[in-house]
Amino acid sequence: MVNDTVIRNFFYTSTPEHEGVLFHIPSGRFFRVFDEKCKSDFRQIFEIGSLSEDVLEMLHKIDSGKGVCSGSCENCDNQIKSANEFTVRKLALVLTSSCNMRCRYCYANYGMYDYEKAADMNAEKLESVLSYFTKNFKGIGAIQFFGGEPTLKEDLIYQTVDYFERMVQSGEIKTMPVFGIVTNGVYMPDKLVLHPVSF
């Protein structure tokens, strides 16, 4: 029997409107669960703590890198698929924990949330994140720039848009994502407003 250590290596979520999504924490791999019985068994383990030997064995095989099939299903492809089979609906990029305002009602603690120290994304990290998601998922529907105040890192906003333009031009992805931004609107440079890609 697979022990609790393996279960702690996963995060699972499912809603009535969406398919179940399984995340393997050590490898950073996502899986989508399609089969209704399989989704129900996952919920039993992750939400209620009840045991399902088939699902526990499946988790063990994923965790050990041996695949996703427990050997007990007739058609594993209909039960669980790797993340490159589905589209990320929205990818939120937290560009900075800094903000150019100090609103007393700010729920985000001026962009710091519960962070111990301020942090900014840099160009290399951003490129790595974008590369990971474009290579490991079927597509990305929308990009949301977030912070802190994301316009303080406008160079990273341009870098993101340029990245996807290159990916489309090279044929590595089919369509551009939709771009959105959560901003206080205090700093809005002309280049950002007039960029050829609509935000």
Side-chain angles (χ1 to χ4, degrees), residues 11-41:
F11 176 78
Y12 178 74
T13 183
S14 178
T15 66
E17 297 83 15
H18 302 97
E19 305 295 347
V21 176
L22 179 71
F23 177 59
H24 183 228
I25 297 168
S27 67
R29 295 174 66 201
F30 287 86
F31 300 89
R32 176 164 276 183
V33 182
F34 291 89
D35 182 77
E36 289 301 324
K37 181 184 183 309
C38 197
K39 283 195 290 184
S40 176
D41 288 344

PDB file of all heavy atoms in Angstrom, residues 11-41:
ATOM      1  N   PHE A  11      -1.226  17.613  -5.267  1.00  0.00           N
ATOM      2  CA  PHE A  11      -2.346  18.510  -4.959  1.00  0.00           C
ATOM      3  C   PHE A  11      -3.418  18.223  -5.991  1.00  0.00           C
ATOM      4  O   PHE A  11      -3.131  18.132  -7.185  1.00  0.00           O
ATOM      5  CB  PHE A  11      -1.906  19.973  -5.040  1.00  0.00           C
ATOM      6  CG  PHE A  11      -3.042  20.936  -4.835  1.00  0.00           C
ATOM      7  CD1 PHE A  11      -3.529  21.213  -3.568  1.00  0.00           C
ATOM      8  CD2 PHE A  11      -3.640  21.559  -5.922  1.00  0.00           C
ATOM      9  CE1 PHE A  11      -4.581  22.083  -3.384  1.00  0.00           C
ATOM     10  CE2 PHE A  11      -4.693  22.438  -5.749  1.00  0.00           C
ATOM     11  CZ  PHE A  11      -5.163  22.704  -4.466  1.00  0.00           C
ATOM     12  N   TYR A  12      -4.656  18.075  -5.536  1.00  0.00           N
ATOM     13  CA  TYR A  12      -5.752  17.772  -6.459  1.00  0.00           C
ATOM     14  C   TYR A  12      -6.902  18.734  -6.241  1.00  0.00           C
ATOM     15  O   TYR A  12      -7.247  19.063  -5.100  1.00  0.00           O
ATOM     16  CB  TYR A  12      -6.251  16.338  -6.245  1.00  0.00           C
ATOM     17  CG  TYR A  12      -7.430  15.983  -7.135  1.00  0.00           C
ATOM     18  CD1 TYR A  12      -7.249  15.740  -8.493  1.00  0.00           C
ATOM     19  CD2 TYR A  12      -8.717  15.909  -6.613  1.00  0.00           C
ATOM     20  CE1 TYR A  12      -8.323  15.432  -9.305  1.00  0.00           C
ATOM     21  CE2 TYR A  12      -9.797  15.598  -7.418  1.00  0.00           C
ATOM     22  CZ  TYR A  12      -9.592  15.361  -8.765  1.00  0.00           C
ATOM     23  OH  TYR A  12     -10.665  15.058  -9.576  1.00  0.00           O
ATOM     24  N   THR A  13      -7.491  19.203  -7.324  1.00  0.00           N
ATOM     25  CA  THR A  13      -8.660  20.070  -7.222  1.00  0.00           C
ATOM     26  C   THR A  13      -9.648  19.727  -8.329  1.00  0.00           C
ATOM     27  O   THR A  13      -9.251  19.328  -9.424  1.00  0.00           O
ATOM     28  CB  THR A  13      -8.273  21.561  -7.305  1.00  0.00           C
ATOM     29  OG1 THR A  13      -9.443  22.358  -7.134  1.00  0.00           O
ATOM     30  CG2 THR A  13      -7.638  21.903  -8.649  1.00  0.00           C
ATOM     31  N   SER A  14     -10.928  19.877  -8.018  1.00  0.00           N
ATOM     32  CA  SER A  14     -11.974  19.601  -9.000  1.00  0.00           C
ATOM     33  C   SER A  14     -13.219  20.377  -8.625  1.00  0.00           C
ATOM     34  O   SER A  14     -13.524  20.552  -7.450  1.00  0.00           O
ATOM     35  CB  SER A  14     -12.289  18.108  -9.041  1.00  0.00           C
ATOM     36  OG  SER A  14     -13.336  17.841  -9.948  1.00  0.00           O
ATOM     37  N   THR A  15     -13.932  20.881  -9.634  1.00  0.00           N
ATOM     38  CA  THR A  15     -15.200  21.554  -9.410  1.00  0.00           C
ATOM     39  C   THR A  15     -16.240  20.932 -10.334  1.00  0.00           C
ATOM     40  O   THR A  15     -15.883  20.289 -11.325  1.00  0.00           O
ATOM     41  CB  THR A  15     -15.105  23.066  -9.713  1.00  0.00           C
ATOM     42  OG1 THR A  15     -14.866  23.239 -11.121  1.00  0.00           O
ATOM     43  CG2 THR A  15     -13.972  23.712  -8.919  1.00  0.00           C
ATOM     44  N   PRO A  16     -17.518  21.107 -10.045  1.00  0.00           N
ATOM     45  CA  PRO A  16     -18.553  20.529 -10.922  1.00  0.00           C
ATOM     46  C   PRO A  16     -18.461  21.035 -12.355  1.00  0.00           C
ATOM     47  O   PRO A  16     -18.831  20.337 -13.288  1.00  0.00           O
ATOM     48  CB  PRO A  16     -19.861  20.980 -10.256  1.00  0.00           C
ATOM     49  CG  PRO A  16     -19.504  21.224  -8.835  1.00  0.00           C
ATOM     50  CD  PRO A  16     -18.090  21.741  -8.858  1.00  0.00           C
ATOM     51  N   GLU A  17     -17.945  22.286 -12.533  1.00  0.00           N
ATOM     52  CA  GLU A  17     -17.910  22.869 -13.873  1.00  0.00           C
ATOM     53  C   GLU A  17     -16.660  22.484 -14.657  1.00  0.00           C
ATOM     54  O   GLU A  17     -16.614  22.625 -15.871  1.00  0.00           O
ATOM     55  CB  GLU A  17     -17.961  24.404 -13.789  1.00  0.00           C
ATOM     56  CG  GLU A  17     -19.232  24.962 -13.169  1.00  0.00           C
ATOM     57  CD  GLU A  17     -19.164  24.970 -11.653  1.00  0.00           C
ATOM     58  OE1 GLU A  17     -18.053  24.810 -11.106  1.00  0.00           O
ATOM     59  OE2 GLU A  17     -20.221  25.124 -11.013  1.00  0.00           O
ATOM     60  N   HIS A  18     -15.623  22.009 -13.977  1.00  0.00           N
ATOM     61  CA  HIS A  18     -14.357  21.751 -14.642  1.00  0.00           C
ATOM     62  C   HIS A  18     -13.874  20.330 -14.354  1.00  0.00           C
ATOM     63  O   HIS A  18     -14.260  19.713 -13.377  1.00  0.00           O
ATOM     64  CB  HIS A  18     -13.296  22.754 -14.178  1.00  0.00           C
ATOM     65  CG  HIS A  18     -13.682  24.172 -14.420  1.00  0.00           C
ATOM     66  ND1 HIS A  18     -14.247  24.960 -13.442  1.00  0.00           N
ATOM     67  CD2 HIS A  18     -13.603  24.940 -15.527  1.00  0.00           C
ATOM     68  CE1 HIS A  18     -14.504  26.154 -13.940  1.00  0.00           C
ATOM     69  NE2 HIS A  18     -14.116  26.163 -15.200  1.00  0.00           N
ATOM     70  N   GLU A  19     -12.992  19.861 -15.229  1.00  0.00           N
ATOM     71  CA  GLU A  19     -12.385  18.567 -15.007  1.00  0.00           C
ATOM     72  C   GLU A  19     -11.430  18.646 -13.824  1.00  0.00           C
ATOM     73  O   GLU A  19     -10.978  19.707 -13.442  1.00  0.00           O
ATOM     74  CB  GLU A  19     -11.615  18.126 -16.271  1.00  0.00           C
ATOM     75  CG  GLU A  19     -12.441  18.104 -17.536  1.00  0.00           C
ATOM     76  CD  GLU A  19     -13.569  17.078 -17.506  1.00  0.00           C
ATOM     77  OE1 GLU A  19     -13.570  16.201 -16.615  1.00  0.00           O
ATOM     78  OE2 GLU A  19     -14.449  17.149 -18.363  1.00  0.00           O
ATOM     79  N   GLY A  20     -11.119  17.495 -13.244  1.00  0.00           N
ATOM     80  CA  GLY A  20     -10.174  17.456 -12.141  1.00  0.00           C
ATOM     81  C   GLY A  20      -8.762  17.709 -12.625  1.00  0.00           C
ATOM     82  O   GLY A  20      -8.393  17.320 -13.739  1.00  0.00           O
ATOM     83  N   VAL A  21      -7.968  18.371 -11.794  1.00  0.00           N
ATOM     84  CA  VAL A  21      -6.570  18.638 -12.121  1.00  0.00           C
ATOM     85  C   VAL A  21      -5.698  18.128 -10.981  1.00  0.00           C
ATOM     86  O   VAL A  21      -5.928  18.435  -9.818  1.00  0.00           O
ATOM     87  CB  VAL A  21      -6.316  20.147 -12.344  1.00  0.00           C
ATOM     88  CG1 VAL A  21      -4.835  20.407 -12.584  1.00  0.00           C
ATOM     89  CG2 VAL A  21      -7.141  20.653 -13.530  1.00  0.00           C
ATOM     90  N   LEU A  22      -4.718  17.315 -11.346  1.00  0.00           N
ATOM     91  CA  LEU A  22      -3.776  16.741 -10.395  1.00  0.00           C
ATOM     92  C   LEU A  22      -2.408  17.366 -10.636  1.00  0.00           C
ATOM     93  O   LEU A  22      -1.942  17.438 -11.774  1.00  0.00           O
ATOM     94  CB  LEU A  22      -3.704  15.226 -10.600  1.00  0.00           C
ATOM     95  CG  LEU A  22      -2.752  14.438  -9.702  1.00  0.00           C
ATOM     96  CD1 LEU A  22      -3.293  14.399  -8.265  1.00  0.00           C
ATOM     97  CD2 LEU A  22      -2.581  13.015 -10.231  1.00  0.00           C
ATOM     98  N   PHE A  23      -1.768  17.841  -9.564  1.00  0.00           N
ATOM     99  CA  PHE A  23      -0.444  18.468  -9.662  1.00  0.00           C
ATOM    100  C   PHE A  23       0.555  17.650  -8.863  1.00  0.00           C
ATOM    101  O   PHE A  23       0.355  17.404  -7.668  1.00  0.00           O
ATOM    102  CB  PHE A  23      -0.498  19.904  -9.139  1.00  0.00           C
ATOM    103  CG  PHE A  23       0.836  20.605  -9.127  1.00  0.00           C
ATOM    104  CD1 PHE A  23       1.567  20.769 -10.291  1.00  0.00           C
ATOM    105  CD2 PHE A  23       1.349  21.116  -7.942  1.00  0.00           C
ATOM    106  CE1 PHE A  23       2.791  21.419 -10.288  1.00  0.00           C
ATOM    107  CE2 PHE A  23       2.576  21.774  -7.920  1.00  0.00           C
ATOM    108  CZ  PHE A  23       3.298  21.927  -9.103  1.00  0.00           C
ATOM    109  N   HIS A  24       1.624  17.207  -9.532  1.00  0.00           N
ATOM    110  CA  HIS A  24       2.694  16.470  -8.862  1.00  0.00           C
ATOM    111  C   HIS A  24       3.752  17.478  -8.440  1.00  0.00           C
ATOM    112  O   HIS A  24       4.480  18.029  -9.260  1.00  0.00           O
ATOM    113  CB  HIS A  24       3.291  15.411  -9.796  1.00  0.00           C
ATOM    114  CG  HIS A  24       4.343  14.577  -9.164  1.00  0.00           C
ATOM    115  ND1 HIS A  24       5.553  14.334  -9.771  1.00  0.00           N
ATOM    116  CD2 HIS A  24       4.383  13.929  -7.969  1.00  0.00           C
ATOM    117  CE1 HIS A  24       6.287  13.569  -8.985  1.00  0.00           C
ATOM    118  NE2 HIS A  24       5.601  13.311  -7.890  1.00  0.00           N
ATOM    119  N   ILE A  25       3.838  17.749  -7.136  1.00  0.00           N
ATOM    120  CA  ILE A  25       4.658  18.838  -6.604  1.00  0.00           C
ATOM    121  C   ILE A  25       6.146  18.675  -6.901  1.00  0.00           C
ATOM    122  O   ILE A  25       6.788  19.623  -7.370  1.00  0.00           O
ATOM    123  CB  ILE A  25       4.402  18.994  -5.089  1.00  0.00           C
ATOM    124  CG1 ILE A  25       2.935  19.383  -4.852  1.00  0.00           C
ATOM    125  CG2 ILE A  25       5.332  20.039  -4.477  1.00  0.00           C
ATOM    126  CD1 ILE A  25       2.488  19.277  -3.411  1.00  0.00           C
ATOM    127  N   PRO A  26       6.760  17.501  -6.678  1.00  0.00           N
ATOM    128  CA  PRO A  26       8.212  17.395  -6.903  1.00  0.00           C
ATOM    129  C   PRO A  26       8.648  17.675  -8.341  1.00  0.00           C
ATOM    130  O   PRO A  26       9.694  18.277  -8.579  1.00  0.00           O
ATOM    131  CB  PRO A  26       8.527  15.942  -6.509  1.00  0.00           C
ATOM    132  CG  PRO A  26       7.449  15.566  -5.565  1.00  0.00           C
ATOM    133  CD  PRO A  26       6.220  16.273  -6.064  1.00  0.00           C
ATOM    134  N   SER A  27       7.855  17.240  -9.325  1.00  0.00           N
ATOM    135  CA  SER A  27       8.249  17.413 -10.723  1.00  0.00           C
ATOM    136  C   SER A  27       7.626  18.646 -11.371  1.00  0.00           C
ATOM    137  O   SER A  27       8.043  19.058 -12.455  1.00  0.00           O
ATOM    138  CB  SER A  27       7.853  16.182 -11.545  1.00  0.00           C
ATOM    139  OG  SER A  27       6.437  16.073 -11.635  1.00  0.00           O
ATOM    140  N   GLY A  28       6.598  19.230 -10.719  1.00  0.00           N
ATOM    141  CA  GLY A  28       5.909  20.369 -11.313  1.00  0.00           C
ATOM    142  C   GLY A  28       5.014  19.983 -12.472  1.00  0.00           C
ATOM    143  O   GLY A  28       4.632  20.822 -13.281  1.00  0.00           O
ATOM    144  N   ARG A  29       4.647  18.698 -12.583  1.00  0.00           N
ATOM    145  CA  ARG A  29       3.805  18.229 -13.692  1.00  0.00           C
ATOM    146  C   ARG A  29       2.329  18.296 -13.315  1.00  0.00           C
ATOM    147  O   ARG A  29       1.943  17.994 -12.189  1.00  0.00           O
ATOM    148  CB  ARG A  29       4.166  16.792 -14.076  1.00  0.00           C
ATOM    149  CG  ARG A  29       5.568  16.654 -14.641  1.00  0.00           C
ATOM    150  CD  ARG A  29       5.916  15.200 -14.867  1.00  0.00           C
ATOM    151  NE  ARG A  29       5.087  14.619 -15.909  1.00  0.00           N
ATOM    152  CZ  ARG A  29       4.883  13.305 -16.031  1.00  0.00           C
ATOM    153  NH1 ARG A  29       5.406  12.461 -15.175  1.00  0.00           N
ATOM    154  NH2 ARG A  29       4.136  12.837 -17.011  1.00  0.00           N
ATOM    155  N   PHE A  30       1.510  18.695 -14.301  1.00  0.00           N
ATOM    156  CA  PHE A  30       0.058  18.731 -14.141  1.00  0.00           C
ATOM    157  C   PHE A  30      -0.563  17.592 -14.934  1.00  0.00           C
ATOM    158  O   PHE A  30      -0.073  17.224 -15.997  1.00  0.00           O
ATOM    159  CB  PHE A  30      -0.524  20.046 -14.671  1.00  0.00           C
ATOM    160  CG  PHE A  30      -0.250  21.241 -13.803  1.00  0.00           C
ATOM    161  CD1 PHE A  30       0.921  21.962 -13.944  1.00  0.00           C
ATOM    162  CD2 PHE A  30      -1.175  21.653 -12.851  1.00  0.00           C
ATOM    163  CE1 PHE A  30       1.178  23.073 -13.165  1.00  0.00           C
ATOM    164  CE2 PHE A  30      -0.925  22.759 -12.063  1.00  0.00           C
ATOM    165  CZ  PHE A  30       0.248  23.476 -12.222  1.00  0.00           C
ATOM    166  N   PHE A  31      -1.673  17.064 -14.428  1.00  0.00           N
ATOM    167  CA  PHE A  31      -2.448  16.063 -15.138  1.00  0.00           C
ATOM    168  C   PHE A  31      -3.912  16.448 -15.037  1.00  0.00           C
ATOM    169  O   PHE A  31      -4.353  16.985 -14.039  1.00  0.00           O
ATOM    170  CB  PHE A  31      -2.250  14.665 -14.533  1.00  0.00           C
ATOM    171  CG  PHE A  31      -0.836  14.189 -14.555  1.00  0.00           C
ATOM    172  CD1 PHE A  31       0.019  14.481 -13.504  1.00  0.00           C
ATOM    173  CD2 PHE A  31      -0.356  13.461 -15.631  1.00  0.00           C
ATOM    174  CE1 PHE A  31       1.331  14.046 -13.514  1.00  0.00           C
ATOM    175  CE2 PHE A  31       0.951  13.029 -15.656  1.00  0.00           C
ATOM    176  CZ  PHE A  31       1.804  13.318 -14.597  1.00  0.00           C
ATOM    177  N   ARG A  32      -4.670  16.143 -16.089  1.00  0.00           N
ATOM    178  CA  ARG A  32      -6.113  16.377 -16.055  1.00  0.00           C
ATOM    179  C   ARG A  32      -6.829  15.033 -15.967  1.00  0.00           C
ATOM    180  O   ARG A  32      -6.524  14.113 -16.723  1.00  0.00           O
ATOM    181  CB  ARG A  32      -6.570  17.141 -17.287  1.00  0.00           C
ATOM    182  CG  ARG A  32      -8.085  17.319 -17.335  1.00  0.00           C
ATOM    183  CD  ARG A  32      -8.508  18.374 -18.319  1.00  0.00           C
ATOM    184  NE  ARG A  32      -8.432  19.673 -17.685  1.00  0.00           N
ATOM    185  CZ  ARG A  32      -8.802  20.800 -18.276  1.00  0.00           C
ATOM    186  NH1 ARG A  32      -9.245  20.785 -19.505  1.00  0.00           N
ATOM    187  NH2 ARG A  32      -8.720  21.938 -17.639  1.00  0.00           N
ATOM    188  N   VAL A  33      -7.755  14.930 -15.032  1.00  0.00           N
ATOM    189  CA  VAL A  33      -8.495  13.687 -14.797  1.00  0.00           C
ATOM    190  C   VAL A  33      -9.864  13.807 -15.458  1.00  0.00           C
ATOM    191  O   VAL A  33     -10.620  14.728 -15.162  1.00  0.00           O
ATOM    192  CB  VAL A  33      -8.648  13.412 -13.285  1.00  0.00           C
ATOM    193  CG1 VAL A  33      -9.363  12.095 -13.062  1.00  0.00           C
ATOM    194  CG2 VAL A  33      -7.276  13.415 -12.604  1.00  0.00           C
ATOM    195  N   PHE A  34     -10.182  12.861 -16.351  1.00  0.00           N
ATOM    196  CA  PHE A  34     -11.425  12.918 -17.108  1.00  0.00           C
ATOM    197  C   PHE A  34     -12.485  11.949 -16.597  1.00  0.00           C
ATOM    198  O   PHE A  34     -13.654  12.290 -16.528  1.00  0.00           O
ATOM    199  CB  PHE A  34     -11.151  12.593 -18.591  1.00  0.00           C
ATOM    200  CG  PHE A  34     -10.368  13.658 -19.306  1.00  0.00           C
ATOM    201  CD1 PHE A  34      -8.985  13.625 -19.308  1.00  0.00           C
ATOM    202  CD2 PHE A  34     -10.993  14.703 -19.958  1.00  0.00           C
ATOM    203  CE1 PHE A  34      -8.255  14.604 -19.954  1.00  0.00           C
ATOM    204  CE2 PHE A  34     -10.276  15.685 -20.605  1.00  0.00           C
ATOM    205  CZ  PHE A  34      -8.900  15.639 -20.609  1.00  0.00           C
ATOM    206  N   ASP A  35     -12.104  10.739 -16.271  1.00  0.00           N
ATOM    207  CA  ASP A  35     -13.039   9.688 -15.901  1.00  0.00           C
ATOM    208  C   ASP A  35     -13.765  10.039 -14.597  1.00  0.00           C
ATOM    209  O   ASP A  35     -13.139  10.406 -13.601  1.00  0.00           O
ATOM    210  CB  ASP A  35     -12.273   8.370 -15.743  1.00  0.00           C
ATOM    211  CG  ASP A  35     -13.193   7.221 -15.396  1.00  0.00           C
ATOM    212  OD1 ASP A  35     -13.875   6.728 -16.310  1.00  0.00           O
ATOM    213  OD2 ASP A  35     -13.228   6.842 -14.210  1.00  0.00           O
ATOM    214  N   GLU A  36     -15.105   9.933 -14.609  1.00  0.00           N
ATOM    215  CA  GLU A  36     -15.899  10.348 -13.448  1.00  0.00           C
ATOM    216  C   GLU A  36     -15.606   9.500 -12.213  1.00  0.00           C
ATOM    217  O   GLU A  36     -15.502  10.021 -11.097  1.00  0.00           O
ATOM    218  CB  GLU A  36     -17.402  10.292 -13.782  1.00  0.00           C
ATOM    219  CG  GLU A  36     -17.855  11.365 -14.754  1.00  0.00           C
ATOM    220  CD  GLU A  36     -17.581  12.775 -14.242  1.00  0.00           C
ATOM    221  OE1 GLU A  36     -17.693  13.019 -13.028  1.00  0.00           O
ATOM    222  OE2 GLU A  36     -17.240  13.641 -15.070  1.00  0.00           O
ATOM    223  N   LYS A  37     -15.466   8.190 -12.378  1.00  0.00           N
ATOM    224  CA  LYS A  37     -15.158   7.333 -11.226  1.00  0.00           C
ATOM    225  C   LYS A  37     -13.774   7.664 -10.676  1.00  0.00           C
ATOM    226  O   LYS A  37     -13.568   7.725  -9.461  1.00  0.00           O
ATOM    227  CB  LYS A  37     -15.231   5.861 -11.607  1.00  0.00           C
ATOM    228  CG  LYS A  37     -14.939   4.960 -10.405  1.00  0.00           C
ATOM    229  CD  LYS A  37     -14.914   3.492 -10.768  1.00  0.00           C
ATOM    230  CE  LYS A  37     -14.682   2.627  -9.530  1.00  0.00           C
ATOM    231  NZ  LYS A  37     -13.541   3.013  -8.719  1.00  0.00           N
ATOM    232  N   CYS A  38     -12.829   7.909 -11.584  1.00  0.00           N
ATOM    233  CA  CYS A  38     -11.477   8.248 -11.165  1.00  0.00           C
ATOM    234  C   CYS A  38     -11.476   9.573 -10.398  1.00  0.00           C
ATOM    235  O   CYS A  38     -10.825   9.702  -9.360  1.00  0.00           O
ATOM    236  CB  CYS A  38     -10.569   8.333 -12.393  1.00  0.00           C
ATOM    237  SG  CYS A  38      -8.813   8.275 -12.032  1.00  0.00           S
ATOM    238  N   LYS A  39     -12.242  10.565 -10.889  1.00  0.00           N
ATOM    239  CA  LYS A  39     -12.336  11.851 -10.181  1.00  0.00           C
ATOM    240  C   LYS A  39     -12.947  11.659  -8.797  1.00  0.00           C
ATOM    241  O   LYS A  39     -12.493  12.250  -7.819  1.00  0.00           O
ATOM    242  CB  LYS A  39     -13.168  12.850 -10.995  1.00  0.00           C
ATOM    243  CG  LYS A  39     -12.422  13.457 -12.160  1.00  0.00           C
ATOM    244  CD  LYS A  39     -13.128  14.685 -12.694  1.00  0.00           C
ATOM    245  CE  LYS A  39     -14.408  14.341 -13.388  1.00  0.00           C
ATOM    246  NZ  LYS A  39     -15.042  15.536 -13.997  1.00  0.00           N
ATOM    247  N   SER A  40     -13.962  10.831  -8.726  1.00  0.00           N
ATOM    248  CA  SER A  40     -14.601  10.565  -7.446  1.00  0.00           C
ATOM    249  C   SER A  40     -13.622   9.911  -6.477  1.00  0.00           C
ATOM    250  O   SER A  40     -13.575  10.256  -5.294  1.00  0.00           O
ATOM    251  CB  SER A  40     -15.822   9.659  -7.653  1.00  0.00           C
ATOM    252  OG  SER A  40     -16.389   9.310  -6.417  1.00  0.00           O
ATOM    253  N   ASP A  41     -12.813   8.975  -6.980  1.00  0.00           N
ATOM    254  CA  ASP A  41     -11.823   8.311  -6.131  1.00  0.00           C
ATOM    255  C   ASP A  41     -10.763   9.292  -5.641  1.00  0.00           C
ATOM    256  O   ASP A  41     -10.325   9.229  -4.489  1.00  0.00           O
ATOM    257  CB  ASP A  41     -11.154   7.165  -6.892  1.00  0.00           C
ATOM    258  CG  ASP A  41     -12.091   5.977  -7.094  1.00  0.00           C
ATOM    259  OD1 ASP A  41     -13.129   5.921  -6.395  1.00  0.00           O
ATOM    260  OD2 ASP A  41     -11.796   5.126  -7.944  1.00  0.00           O
TER     261      ASP A  41
END
